[in-house]
Amino acid sequence: MSFEIRVNGEAFDAEPRPGQCLRTYLRERGWFGVKKGCDAGDCGACTVQVDGEPVHSCLYPAVRAEGRSVRTVEGLARNGELHPMQRQFLDAQGFQCGFCTAGFLMTASALNAEQLTDLPRALKGNLCRCTGYRAIEDAVRGVKHTEEPAAGQAVGRSLGAPAGPQVVTGTARYTFDIEVEGLLQMKLLRSPHPHARIVSIDTAAALRVPGVHLVLTHHDAPERLYSSARHEHPTEDPDDTRVLDDVVRFVGQRVAAVVADSEQAAEEGCRRIVVQYEELPFVIDPELAMAPGAPVIHPKGPESRIARPQNNVVGEVHGEIGSVEQGFAEADIVYEETFRTQRVQHASLETHGAVAYFEESEEDGRERIVVRSSTQVPFLTRRALCALYDLPPERLRVVAGRVGGGFGGKQEMLVEDVVVLAALRLKRPVKLEFTRAEQFFGATTRHPFTIGLKAGATADGTLTALRLRVVANTGAYGNHGPAVMFHSVGESMAVYRAPHKQVDAYSVYTNCVPAGAFRGYGLGQVTFAVESAMDELARRLGIDPLVFRERNIIGPGDRMVSPGGEEEDLHIASYGLDQCLQVVRNAIAEDRSAADAPEGWLVGQGTAMSMIATGPPGGHFADATVKLLEDGSYDIAVGTAEFGNGTTTVHKQITAGALGTTVDRIAIRQSDTDVVRHDTGAFASAGTVVAGKAVTKAANALAEQIVSFAAEHLRVSRSLCRLTADSVECEGRSVSLKELFEAARGQEVALTADGHWGGTPRSVAFNAQWFRLAVDPDTGEIRILRSVHAADAGKVMNPLQCRGQVEGGVAQALGATLFEQVLVDEGGRVTTAAFRRYRLPAYADVPRTEVHFTETSDAIGPLGAKSMSESPFNPVAPAFANALRDATGVRFTEVPLLRDRVWQAIEQHRADARAGAVADARADVREVEAGTGGRGQCPAGTATADSAAR
């Protein structure tokens, strides 16, 4: 009897390999809508329907599908018509990066009426890292949000993503959603030691494994040092990394790379490599790493831009404004505390990966290498690869397909370097795709911070002094370390007016998994400390925390000053912080959510705010080109990568507004170093503001060109002509855009325009978060009763999309606040290398956050817009901790706020209160017995200490 599986109505008779899962079986046959997110049944990105029932295809043996009907997202549409659920996801913009969308669609489209009444249970098998789930809920329930504005009216409207139809049908192409003939697979052998020197490495047995083509070790790697971090100016990061090194500095560092016909052969090759190590002393605590006598992790010095290698300090900043000692002396109250934040994984559902292959250049016919990568920075990656392998830029092309989430984690070069090395050696296409476990121990995390804070204020609530001592654990390599450390103490301190400020900050090497860029870039960690301290000062002074903040925040005309150095190019180009705080005040005034708290639970509310700059101080640049096409439509070429940040939509909206057309008449090319000009990358909140400004300049210039050419063509005055959706109208006469294109071509005139933006000046955005929550004092369980977020995004280009960015930022921050934590044991090993051991927020964990935008228009950003992708993350943890303080009386100084940690703190607080009451009662008894009276004024002999305490 022959084997047969029917997939979307098509029969397949190829038998699966022994042990093959349904996911790989389907993808090998071109059904790329089935995604790989975890390989453990934790995320649901691979969900398909088998005989109508949703299953996680990464766990479902392909052989079990014999004789069954399998449906993937590509098969949801019928007879050219979208499935109703696909249409609903489009109408609600129920996705951002879209990597999880196919899985959600396959689950949601199979729900019955009863299941729709309990979505937390129905959707528990699917995770989303981007949206915060509100958009997904709206999609499942059929709520329509997207608009279709008239020509020239796109800016400020809730348009859906241009790639939406491809996302919901599974035809959007992510990094590995392509077929490459002759593709070889790479796997990495990783270090079992936190610090060791490779004495010898024997690859002979690995090379004898059938199907293995190549084994790479440090003997094959360039000697050149570089940084995996990518910035416009490479000198911002230390050069401390080799492609493959003879010294390993953390558990999980790559030791060798095996390239084979299959992943199985490559993995077997890794197992057969014999490595002899000389184990070296290691250190995982940053304070100990700075101490005299600690193991030196990177002996290189200033030539590699390492500040103090002998103390493992990769970067540091020290500064003082005024005199903090004088400020503390002038204060009526001084608060001093140490705060700690943990490692957090980006957890983008598409893991790091790249494919390198060869093609002939269209310009000269010569062979060149193409790197298709899940990266936020294609141009900077090309520049780094060219420098590493001495390649001219025209011999290397970097392409980012649609990227399945980033959050700063893909502002790194973690796979492309070794993939290109193998491809150059073999002259064959090579692929490397991280597993979910590798994403935890072989990629990067958020920096763990320890923040020592001291703040003083007068009795009327005026800040007098603010001092920070910050230690950031950058792990084994310094990628982003100095920049994150510097940024963390910038806007977090500059947002408050205090005459006396001091900062001492250190970015420190340890033998742990490296940290890197993460949403907020250090501000989230330090803002947790600063905003907690502001709340504590206000409470101890008996002042409303909102009033305290309003008394001390910078105003629209103030200079932003931080002890780490004033940033002359940073401006308050629009000011909405006062409006953000007013949103919170209004929410508090009209809130009735406390009534929803279970009986006996403690209820509290708390606020925090933050400020963030757009782009790094070293500069962030973008180039764009907009041109008229033959059919009267337009083409945008811009380098920014799309990973759910929504820049594609915004760039089309800007262009449509400038050219008086609709977005469906605009094509866009992006993230390909071969077809667009330079772009620093999609990070630092710059996609809308920097690249958008370049697009604005190009689109406006093209509009002027078209109108001027039309006036010349019709021989009329330029002032009499007006550009419309498909023509230029000139005092009763009209010429179509198609005619103009032909006329221009006949005169060898190109109707195309370029735009450039970046560097200076830079603007700032503001955010405020407010929570009301309830806490069960007997278990530590917390329920969020209400969540309100105010955002100063300037002119909101796309309200639906921007709201999604805020909701996603709040949801991601709640995960980091409540339970997300990358744990490292005493030997430097990551122990949470799977989603089921590293808990991500699921649908049931995330409340619906009310999002409010201020009425501002930025003087710097495109059409008045400001950044709003990173900043919603930053005030969430302190707002939550402040609400918890209000409810319980306990100041929590460490995140995550795990349930058992909260319960233990409440119990300790209760015990302390009881002990204090007993002590006071005993003192009263002694005073009564002595005849001097007491707090209770009890007659002598009528009370005991215990009874008084009760």
Side-chain angles (χ1 to χ4, degrees):
M1 183 176 178
S2 62
F3 181 91
E4 182 179 278
I5 298 176
R6 297 194 68 81
V7 182
N8 300 325
E10 183 179 351
F12 293 89
D13 58 8
E15 291 194 27
R17 296 187 300 274
Q20 185 175 24
C21 70
L22 183 57
R23 180 186 65 80
T24 59
Y25 185 90
L26 293 170
R27 286 186 62 84
E28 287 173 2
R29 281 146 189 83
W31 303 109
F32 293 127
V34 185
K35 302 302 184 197
K36 171 187 174 180
C38 66
D39 272 338
D42 294 331
C43 74
C46 67
T47 304
V48 301
Q49 294 172 7
V50 177
D51 290 342
E53 289 295 319
V55 301
H56 289 174
S57 62
C58 69
L59 296 182
Y60 195 95
V63 69
R64 282 187 56 192
E66 181 180 6
R68 298 177 181 269
S69 174
V70 177
R71 197 179 189 189
T72 73
V73 69
E74 292 96 334
L76 274 183
R78 296 290 176 88
N79 301 319
E81 293 292 327
L82 292 179
H83 186 281
M85 192 59 70
Q86 290 174 308
R87 171 54 59 190
Q88 288 170 208
F89 266 74
L90 279 180
D91 290 344
Q93 186 68 39
F95 55 87
Q96 285 182 25
C97 83
F99 198 79
C100 70
T101 304
F104 270 101
L105 281 166
M106 299 313 294
T107 298
S109 62
L111 298 180
N112 58 38
E114 182 179 351
Q115 290 170 320
L116 285 170
T117 65
D118 189 4
L119 287 184
R121 180 180 297 275
L123 299 179
K124 67 179 182 179
N126 294 82
L127 294 175
C128 174
R129 190 55 157 169
C130 298
T131 65
Y133 297 102
R134 172 179 172 170
I136 292 173
E137 178 186 355
D138 286 351
V140 174
R141 298 200 184 284
V143 180
K144 179 177 172 61
H145 289 299
T146 56
E147 304 176 66
E148 297 178 6
Q153 303 298 314
V155 172
R157 308 295 288 274
S158 292
L159 277 72
Q166 291 74 45
V167 169
V168 301
T169 56
T171 56
R173 290 295 175 247
Y174 295 81
T175 307
F176 299 115
D177 296 344
I178 58 171
E179 295 181 5
V180 179
E181 187 176 352
L183 183 64
L184 301 176
Q185 305 287 336
M186 175 184 286
K187 287 293 180 180
L188 299 174
L189 175 67
R190 296 183 178 274
S191 169
H193 303 296
H195 199 193
R197 186 178 307 280
I198 297 174
V199 176
S200 66
I201 184 165
D202 186 348
T203 63
L207 288 167
R208 289 195 293 270
V209 173
V212 169
H213 292 262
L214 177 69
V215 179
L216 296 170
T217 71
H218 64 273
H219 297 296
D220 306 292
E223 292 289 340
R224 182 174 291 147
L225 291 172
Y226 61 97
S227 172
S228 67
R230 302 268 53 86
H231 283 108
E232 180 66 36
H233 304 293
T235 54
E236 292 184 27
D237 308 296
D239 289 337
D240 57 9
T241 303
R242 277 186 71 194
V243 176
L244 293 164
D245 208 333
D246 61 344
V247 175
V248 291
R249 296 175 173 88
F250 69 98
V251 176
Q253 180 170 332
R254 57 195 187 193
V255 171
V258 178
V259 184
D261 291 330
S262 67
E263 291 188 27
Q264 294 87 341
E267 288 171 348
E268 181 61 26
C270 287
R271 284 190 286 270
R272 296 196 186 187
I273 297 173
V274 180
V275 186
Q276 182 182 351
Y277 297 96
E278 175 195 352
E279 294 188 47
L280 301 173
F282 65 93
V283 60
I284 62 174
D285 183 286
E287 292 286 0
L288 295 178
M290 289 192 288
V296 176
I297 297 174
H298 289 278
K300 294 286 186 178
E303 70 273 17
S304 291
R305 297 184 297 282
I306 300 173
R308 286 189 286 128
Q310 71 277 12
N311 299 113
N312 294 311
V313 176
V314 62
E316 56 190 326
V317 59
H318 305 279
E320 185 173 16
I321 297 167
S323 168
V324 291
E325 292 306 323
Q326 177 185 336
F328 294 133
E330 294 171 352
D332 294 307
I333 184 172
V334 174
Y335 174 69
E336 187 168 10
E337 188 55 88
T338 298
F339 295 83
R340 292 179 174 85
T341 63
Q342 81 282 32
R343 288 179 183 83
V344 177
Q345 233 293 319
H346 307 82
S348 52
L349 290 191
E350 181 190 41
T351 61
H352 286 273
V355 180
Y357 56 94
F358 295 87
E359 70 176 10
E360 286 188 0
S361 169
E362 294 182 1
E363 293 184 2
D364 56 18
R366 294 173 58 195
E367 185 180 70
R368 63 174 177 175
I369 191 166
V370 180
V371 180
R372 183 178 173 89
S373 171
S374 181
T375 179
Q376 297 173 226
V377 284
F379 285 88
L380 301 189
T381 298
R382 180 182 68 169
R383 185 169 66 189
L385 290 170
C386 286
L388 190 57
Y389 296 113
D390 297 316
L391 296 171
E394 62 272 15
R395 299 270 69 81
L396 180 67
R397 175 187 177 193
V398 176
V399 180
R402 189 171 179 90
V403 177
F407 317 111
K410 293 173 181 175
Q411 194 192 335
E412 305 271 359
M413 186 173 70
L414 298 178
V415 290
E416 298 90 344
D417 50 355
V418 69
V419 169
V420 168
L421 176 61
L424 289 172
R425 287 284 298 271
L426 291 170
K427 298 299 180 184
R428 292 274 304 274
V430 177
K431 167 190 171 183
L432 172 60
E433 182 178 11
F434 275 12
T435 64
R436 180 54 58 186
E438 286 180 300
Q439 199 74 6
F440 279 97
F441 56 68
T444 61
T445 72
R446 184 174 81 153
H447 285 76
F449 268 56
T450 301
I451 307 108
L453 180 147
K454 187 174 182 179
T458 58
D460 67 352
T462 302
L463 275 177
T464 61
L466 179 60
R467 181 167 68 194
L468 294 178
R469 182 184 183 272
V470 172
V471 177
N473 185 343
T474 199
Y477 290 88
N479 45 304
H480 295 283
V484 166
M485 176 267 304
F486 183 87
H487 189 239
S488 73
V489 296
E491 297 97 271
S492 60
M493 295 190 77
V495 72
Y496 283 103
R497 293 190 313 258
H500 309 288
K501 297 179 181 179
Q502 184 182 33
V503 64
D504 294 286
Y506 309 85
S507 182
V508 184
Y509 285 126
T510 62
N511 293 111
C512 298
V513 59
F518 187 96
R519 198 173 199 165
Y521 213 65
L523 278 178
Q525 294 94 309
V526 177
T527 297
F528 171 60
V530 172
E531 286 300 293
S532 295
M534 296 302 114
D535 187 81
E536 193 64 31
L537 282 172
R539 292 182 186 279
R540 295 187 181 191
L541 288 168
I543 299 174
D544 182 330
L546 282 179
V547 172
F548 183 88
R549 286 178 171 82
E550 289 167 337
R551 195 163 293 170
N552 292 287
I553 56 176
I554 59 173
D558 293 348
R559 293 168 59 222
M560 285 174 285
V561 180
S562 173
E566 183 179 355
E567 298 177 2
E568 297 290 347
D569 64 339
L570 201 55
H571 303 272
I572 302 177
S574 64
Y575 185 79
L577 183 52
D578 54 348
Q579 294 182 50
C580 288
L581 295 179
Q582 186 59 47
V583 166
V584 171
R585 178 171 278 108
N586 294 342
I588 295 172
E590 52 105 38
D591 184 64
R592 301 292 181 270
S593 61
D596 298 329
E599 185 177 353
W601 288 37
L602 308 174
V603 178
Q605 58 93 15
T607 305
M609 60 172 216
S610 64
M611 177 176 75
I612 193 170
T614 298
H620 197 110
F621 303 93
D623 293 286
T625 300
V626 182
K627 63 182 179 180
L628 179 66
L629 300 178
E630 186 174 9
D631 63 355
S633 64
Y634 298 95
D635 174 87
I636 310 170
V638 62
T640 301
E642 176 62 64
F643 56 99
N645 47 350
T647 54
T648 305
T649 318
V650 169
H651 295 163
K652 280 195 168 191
Q653 288 178 273
I654 289 171
T655 303
L659 296 170
T661 189
T662 53
V663 293
D664 61 299
R665 294 173 61 87
I666 300 171
I668 188 165
R669 293 173 295 149
Q670 57 194 149
S671 311
D672 183 341
T673 60
D674 207 41
V675 299
V676 299
R677 297 188 299 139
H678 180 77
D679 188 285
T680 298
F683 66 93
S685 306
T688 292
V689 177
V690 177
K693 190 82 169 185
V695 169
T696 301
K697 291 167 73 75
N700 286 337
L702 179 60
E704 177 62 30
Q705 278 186 31
I706 291 173
V707 172
S708 295
F709 184 80
E712 181 181 333
H713 180 71
L714 297 175
R715 301 181 185 277
V716 298
S717 170
R718 162 68 181 80
S719 63
L720 300 176
C721 295
R722 180 176 63 89
L723 180 61
T724 68
D726 54 10
S727 65
V728 177
E729 307 291 333
C730 299
E731 201 180 29
R733 302 173 63 188
S734 175
V735 56
S736 72
L737 295 178
K738 293 180 182 180
E739 292 177 70
L740 282 178
F741 182 91
E742 290 299 328
R745 181 160 60 183
Q747 299 179 34
E748 297 186 351
V749 173
L751 292 177
T752 181
D754 297 327
H756 172 81
W757 186 254
T760 185
R762 299 183 298 135
S763 186
V764 293
F766 301 97
N767 295 76
Q769 173 70 41
W770 177 79
F771 287 110
R772 186 179 294 281
L773 51 80
V775 188
D776 183 353
D778 296 322
T779 65
E781 181 183 346
I782 302 172
R783 293 185 190 176
I784 299 172
L785 304 178
R786 194 172 175 205
S787 172
V788 176
H789 192 99
D792 173 22
K795 170 66 176 178
V796 179
M797 308 297 282
N798 187 317
L800 176 61
Q801 184 173 276
C802 195
R803 189 198 76 186
Q805 292 290 317
V806 173
E807 291 167 347
V810 172
Q812 190 175 32
L814 277 172
T817 301
L818 290 172
F819 36 74
E820 289 187 47
Q821 186 172 20
V822 177
L823 295 176
V824 175
D825 67 18
E826 60 185 13
R829 185 182 305 274
V830 172
T831 61
T832 49
F835 280 160
R836 63 188 55 194
R837 291 193 294 273
Y838 178 89
R839 182 182 167 192
L840 285 180
Y843 176 92
D845 297 313
V846 182
R848 179 168 285 221
T849 292
E850 304 163 35
V851 179
H852 302 264
F853 295 114
T854 63
E855 297 289 335
T856 63
S857 181
D858 200 68
I860 295 174
L863 307 179
K866 292 200 285 192
S867 62
M868 196 46 58
S869 56
E870 294 184 88
S871 53
F873 187 100
N874 297 327
V876 170
F880 199 97
N882 291 341
L884 205 52
R885 162 70 165 86
D886 189 48
T888 66
V890 179
R891 171 56 61 190
F892 290 86
T893 60
E894 184 174 353
V895 286
L897 298 167
L898 301 170
R899 180 171 170 174
D900 58 344
R901 185 178 291 171
V902 170
W903 175 79
Q904 288 172 354
I906 293 173
E907 284 296 295
Q908 186 62 52
H909 183 66
R910 284 172 160 179
D912 292 344
R914 286 192 295 267
V918 169
D920 288 346
R922 286 173 176 166
D924 283 344
V925 169
R926 286 194 296 270
E927 291 180 9
V928 169
E929 290 174 344
T932 58
R935 292 177 180 83
Q937 296 296 310
C938 299
T942 62
T944 66
D946 289 341
S947 65
R950 287 194 292 271

